[in-house]
Amino acid sequence: MEFEVKKIPGSKVELIITLSVDEWNKFISETLKKISAELKVDGFRPGAVLPREVIEREVGSAAILQEAAESAIRKTYPEVVVKNDIQAIGSPKVEIVKMSEGNPFIFKIEVSVLPDVELPDYRAIAQEISQQRKEVKAEEKEIDDSIEWLRKSRAKLKVANRSAQKGDLIEIDFEGYLNGQLIDELKSKNHPMVLGENRLVRGFEEHLIGLKENEEKEFSLLFPEDYYSQELRGQLVNFKVKVKSVQERELPELNDDFARSLGKFDNLSDLRNKISSNLKIEKEEKEKERIRSLIIKEIAQAAKMELPEVLVKSETERMVEELKGNLKKMGMEFEKYLKEIGKGKDALEREWKSKAEERIRVALCLGEIARREKIEVKEDEIESKINELLRPYQNISEAEKSISAERLREYSRELIRNQKVFELLEKVKSSTK
């Protein structure tokens, strides 16, 4: 077998593969045996070796050569790819150049490959951006807000024999009508809400303040122009609401006993210190992620590479699948979401193309840095990460329903590799490379 590998524009390679007459004849012979075993011909017992002229009469000589060619391509193409360490992606485009018995078999393949990545001085970029890291601290207001949230989460509820006011937990039935037609997504029964949290459309809760249990009210609201549902943007919607119950929340007194009731805290001051420490750790983690994001984005923007279209298409499709998964968790169908935003899947992918390209550039740069720095990921590290990712699932069979084992392993490997790349960049002391 002879082959020629040539790079062509668009991050692709062209392979011209030539099989000698003897190699080509072997594929033809194997194809004749295969067809012979599968054919049922009157006068021959099943499985008998059929004369070639009989096979040609039944299926035709062209079909024999075509099947032999497909078999040859399936076997030799992967061998050339592996032998030359070609990082092929997507489906190859195959063209048969010469296919005749008694002559060499020649075919040409064009396939997209992972692009060569020309990195900037990533150490210098990491060093410069790392200097932008901010010192973080927990503000007193943040600590107060956290404690207030803890108080509210442990509030006792009791029936309020009065009109509803901010801070009350109420339960309502409501229906929303647009041009006299009931809108399904604006209908709910026994819907709980805390007045003042503004979880529904702006202005809705203000109409409920002052109502008592079993009171009903009708009112109209003009939906904002940035509302997620295109159908309702800028529309005047009529609501019918009935208050089912009004409950007031009794917050626990803020003292040392309250602090001790939450866990192993000596007093209120001890609780505040622990909250302060946790808030600082959380902020430090966010700041670390912010700096890492800035570093890799700067590297990716400065890097030179030619992105193959098939890779961009694959990434946009992956983004769509991620969206579908998120929507499913929220109980919304993808098709309904598209209808709400007034876009089709193709339009969404076109809109996301630049974001997909950015994600690909980042991933390729991380991979190239790992290769240059000889960063390795060990099997025990992958197993540990897999176990960590599977922890939320109750059992393995539950996880297998939604996760590909092969994809999980590759995802775990990438997570660990990327973590090691960032750790290396964070330790940079000089810009030389």
Side-chain angles (χ1 to χ4, degrees):
M1 177 178 63
E2 297 178 358
F3 56 85
E4 178 186 345
V5 181
K6 182 171 64 174
K7 288 185 177 181
I8 58 177
S11 191
K12 297 179 181 180
V13 295
E14 181 183 83
L15 310 175
I16 300 177
I17 302 173
T18 302
L19 301 185
S20 68
V21 174
D22 289 341
E23 290 171 322
W24 175 225
N25 284 339
K26 286 181 182 178
F27 282 105
I28 294 174
S29 297
E30 290 172 2
T31 299
L32 287 169
K33 289 178 183 178
K34 178 176 177 292
I35 295 174
S36 177
E38 295 171 351
L39 272 179
K40 293 181 181 180
V41 181
D42 292 341
F44 294 89
R45 61 180 176 78
V49 178
L50 302 175
R52 177 161 182 172
E53 58 269 20
V54 174
I55 298 173
E56 288 183 342
R57 185 187 70 211
E58 293 293 322
V59 301
S61 58
I64 295 170
L65 292 182
Q66 184 63 39
E67 189 165 339
E70 292 172 1
S71 178
I73 293 168
R74 280 196 302 270
K75 185 175 187 303
T76 56
Y77 165 62
E79 290 177 359
V80 173
V81 167
V82 172
K83 188 172 184 178
N84 290 271
D85 193 26
I86 296 171
Q87 303 296 310
I89 52 177
S91 301
K93 179 183 176 183
V94 182
E95 178 187 341
I96 295 175
V97 178
K98 190 171 186 179
M99 180 181 70
S100 61
E101 203 163 353
N103 290 290
F105 173 59
I106 306 173
F107 64 98
K108 182 165 62 176
I109 283 186
E110 183 182 295
V111 66
S112 295
V113 294
L114 288 178
D116 294 329
V117 179
E118 185 181 334
L119 291 172
D121 188 344
Y122 53 87
R123 286 174 172 258
I125 290 173
Q127 188 176 45
E128 181 182 352
I129 293 180
S130 292
Q131 295 173 4
Q132 300 176 24
R133 188 159 184 166
K134 301 173 183 176
E135 290 295 324
V136 300
K137 66 176 184 178
E139 303 292 343
E140 288 300 311
K141 184 180 184 307
E142 294 174 312
I143 299 172
D144 291 341
D145 289 344
S146 296
I147 291 176
E148 189 63 16
W149 181 88
L150 288 171
R151 291 180 70 203
K152 288 178 179 178
S153 69
R154 285 156 177 77
K156 293 181 180 179
L157 296 171
K158 70 174 185 178
V159 175
N161 296 313
R162 55 168 173 74
S163 301
Q165 59 189 36
K166 281 190 176 181
D168 288 344
L169 174 65
I170 66 172
E171 196 172 88
I172 61 173
D173 293 344
F174 67 88
E175 295 177 345
Y177 294 82
L178 177 61
N179 298 323
Q181 297 295 316
L182 177 63
I183 306 299
D184 287 340
E185 67 181 88
L186 299 181
K187 177 183 178 181
S188 182
K189 284 189 174 294
N190 302 317
H191 185 90
M193 62 190 303
V194 176
L195 287 177
E197 292 187 348
N198 296 312
R199 297 295 177 88
L200 295 179
V201 65
R202 289 196 298 267
F204 185 90
E205 292 183 15
E206 281 79 351
H207 288 278
L208 307 182
I209 294 174
L211 296 183
K212 295 181 179 179
E213 183 178 326
N214 293 322
E215 276 195 292
E216 299 181 16
K217 186 174 183 180
E218 294 188 22
F219 55 88
S220 298
L221 279 180
L222 186 64
F223 273 57
E225 293 292 346
D226 60 352
Y227 194 70
Y228 79 92
S229 172
Q230 188 179 44
E231 179 188 9
L232 296 173
R233 290 175 190 169
Q235 297 293 327
L236 188 66
V237 176
N238 299 312
F239 282 98
K240 294 180 180 179
V241 180
K242 180 178 181 179
V243 176
K244 305 292 287 294
S245 67
V246 178
Q247 298 181 84
E248 61 180 314
R249 298 185 297 176
E250 288 186 333
L251 301 184
E253 189 177 347
L254 187 57
N255 53 27
D256 292 343
D257 289 337
F258 170 70
R260 284 190 283 267
S261 73
L262 298 173
K264 297 180 179 179
F265 302 105
D266 296 332
N267 48 43
L268 188 58
S269 177
D270 188 22
L271 172 62
R272 291 185 67 87
N273 289 337
K274 184 62 177 176
I275 290 175
S276 176
S277 175
N278 289 342
L279 285 172
K280 187 176 180 182
I281 290 172
E282 183 181 333
K283 283 187 167 187
E284 285 173 344
E285 187 63 27
K286 287 182 178 179
E287 181 62 10
K288 181 179 74 174
E289 292 303 316
R290 186 183 74 86
I291 293 297
R292 285 183 173 185
S293 178
L294 288 175
I295 289 172
I296 196 58
K297 283 183 179 179
E298 180 73 19
I299 292 171
Q301 287 172 4
K304 296 179 181 178
M305 66 187 81
E306 189 176 17
L307 297 183
E309 189 58 36
V310 65
L311 202 57
V312 178
K313 177 67 175 173
S314 174
E315 186 61 29
T316 54
E317 289 176 350
R318 188 202 302 265
M319 292 169 71
V320 169
E321 290 305 311
E322 289 174 0
L323 174 62
K324 286 181 179 178
N326 292 333
L327 290 172
K328 187 176 181 180
K329 290 177 183 177
M330 295 187 293
M332 180 180 284
E333 296 179 358
F334 179 62
E335 290 71 20
K336 184 178 179 182
Y337 172 79
L338 293 178
K339 183 179 178 182
E340 295 288 355
I341 64 174
K343 295 177 182 176
K345 179 174 175 289
D346 291 343
L348 204 61
E349 290 184 353
R350 285 194 299 271
E351 187 178 296
W352 286 353
K353 184 178 179 181
S354 60
K355 181 63 177 178
E357 289 174 347
E358 179 185 314
R359 285 171 56 158
I360 295 167
R361 292 178 71 87
V362 165
L364 291 173
C365 286
L366 285 168
E368 181 62 16
I369 295 172
R371 185 190 69 79
R372 292 193 188 187
E373 299 290 346
K374 296 181 173 55
I375 290 175
E376 297 180 354
V377 179
K378 298 177 182 178
E379 281 301 312
D380 60 336
E381 293 176 314
I382 295 175
E383 291 299 327
S384 176
K385 177 59 70 174
I386 288 174
N387 291 335
E388 178 187 330
L389 294 173
L390 290 178
R391 203 166 291 140
Y393 292 89
Q394 294 183 352
N395 52 61
I396 296 299
S397 59
E398 179 190 351
E400 288 175 344
K401 293 177 183 178
S402 56
I403 302 176
S404 160
E406 183 179 348
R407 175 59 190 146
L408 179 61
R409 176 167 290 276
E410 180 60 22
Y411 177 66
S412 299
R413 189 189 74 79
E414 288 180 6
L415 282 179
I416 299 166
R417 182 204 66 185
N418 294 348
Q419 177 73 13
K420 290 185 175 185
V421 168
F422 283 121
E423 288 172 356
L424 177 142
L425 294 176
E426 288 165 347
K427 295 175 183 176
V428 166
K429 297 299 180 184
S430 76
S431 62
T432 58
K433 180 61 186 170

